[in-house]
Amino acid sequence: MALKSTIFKANVAIADIDHGYYADHALTLARHPSETDERMMIRLAALALQAHRLQDDVGGDGTLAFGAGLSSPEDPDLILRDFTGRARLWVEVGQPEDKPLAKACGKADLVLVYAFHHAAEVWWRGIENKLTRLDKLQVWRVPSEASQALAKLAERSMQLQATVQEGVLTLGSDKGAVDLECLRWK
């Protein structure tokens, strides 16, 4: 019998000072049995970092939602669609292969990768040359200390505050706060 996803609920108050975006998001995250808290929280952080695009890119007339993730490799971890259904933003978390990223660049206006884990540098050295021609792609490195600290904020029901200022995301709850400053590789 297949294991079912674990459902997490998160109420996130986002204050993106850099982009003038302020909103509350009630989110449901399905954590696949093979997904770690660390990866799930990186998905949540990616949403907080990119939520301003709901206003900036689609004028508030779109949806920013988690994809099927690990249970469906063809789907992004996070996607922004405008009212016509066009994919404006496609976000992957982890160390994806080059061919799915090239496909994603053909489907969306912008593709972001948030690479984390101690093996991210090895992955990047092995794939960097294969990604140079993908103009729509940005690759960001999430520092290991920050991603591991984010995992400690994970709870089945979360009340989180997310503040983005000068490119740094501060994600906090009653369990503490984590500063996340991603390094752009591409």
Side-chain angles (χ1 to χ4, degrees):
M1 184 160 118
L3 296 173
K4 293 184 177 183
S5 293
T6 304
I7 302 301
F8 288 74
K9 300 280 187 176
N11 290 314
V12 185
I14 299 174
D16 188 333
I17 297 162
D18 291 350
H19 299 96
Y21 178 82
Y22 305 89
D24 294 331
H25 292 262
L27 306 169
T28 300
L29 294 101
R31 193 188 75 202
H32 189 273
S34 65
E35 184 176 35
T36 63
D37 284 345
E38 181 180 17
R39 186 179 191 285
M40 180 188 70
M41 293 302 288
I42 298 292
R43 289 192 294 135
L44 186 67
L47 184 137
L49 285 164
Q50 300 303 320
H52 70 91
R53 293 181 183 278
L54 276 166
Q55 191 62 46
D56 294 350
D57 294 0
V58 297
D61 201 3
T63 58
L64 182 63
F66 294 111
L70 294 176
S71 62
S72 179
E74 297 292 317
D75 282 353
D77 289 308
L78 180 68
I79 191 163
L80 171 64
R81 291 193 184 276
D82 65 17
F83 74 97
T84 68
R86 180 173 138 201
R88 303 296 294 268
L89 175 69
W90 183 293
V91 177
E92 293 289 343
V93 171
Q95 292 97 35
E97 296 293 323
D98 60 311
K99 289 179 183 171
L101 288 175
K103 275 186 180 179
C105 286
K107 295 177 183 178
D109 295 350
L110 178 62
V111 177
L112 302 179
V113 174
Y114 286 97
F116 71 99
H117 199 267
H118 64 275
E121 282 80 11
V122 174
W123 166 81
W124 180 240
R125 284 193 301 270
I127 201 168
E128 181 178 12
N129 290 335
K130 297 176 184 177
L131 302 178
T132 55
R133 62 180 168 72
L134 301 177
D135 295 335
K136 295 180 180 180
L137 178 68
Q138 291 182 13
V139 179
W140 295 86
R141 170 64 164 123
V142 178
S144 292
E145 273 186 26
S147 67
Q148 292 166 6
L150 282 175
K152 294 175 183 171
L153 297 179
E155 296 180 279
R156 294 285 299 271
S157 180
M158 297 178 270
Q159 299 291 326
L160 300 167
Q161 299 78 41
T163 304
V164 180
Q165 187 170 14
E166 296 180 7
V168 178
L169 168 67
T170 301
L171 192 64
S173 72
D174 58 355
K175 293 178 87 176
V178 177
D179 288 334
L180 176 64
E181 184 172 10
C182 299
L183 170 68
R184 185 167 177 183
W185 277 344
K186 179 186 180 333

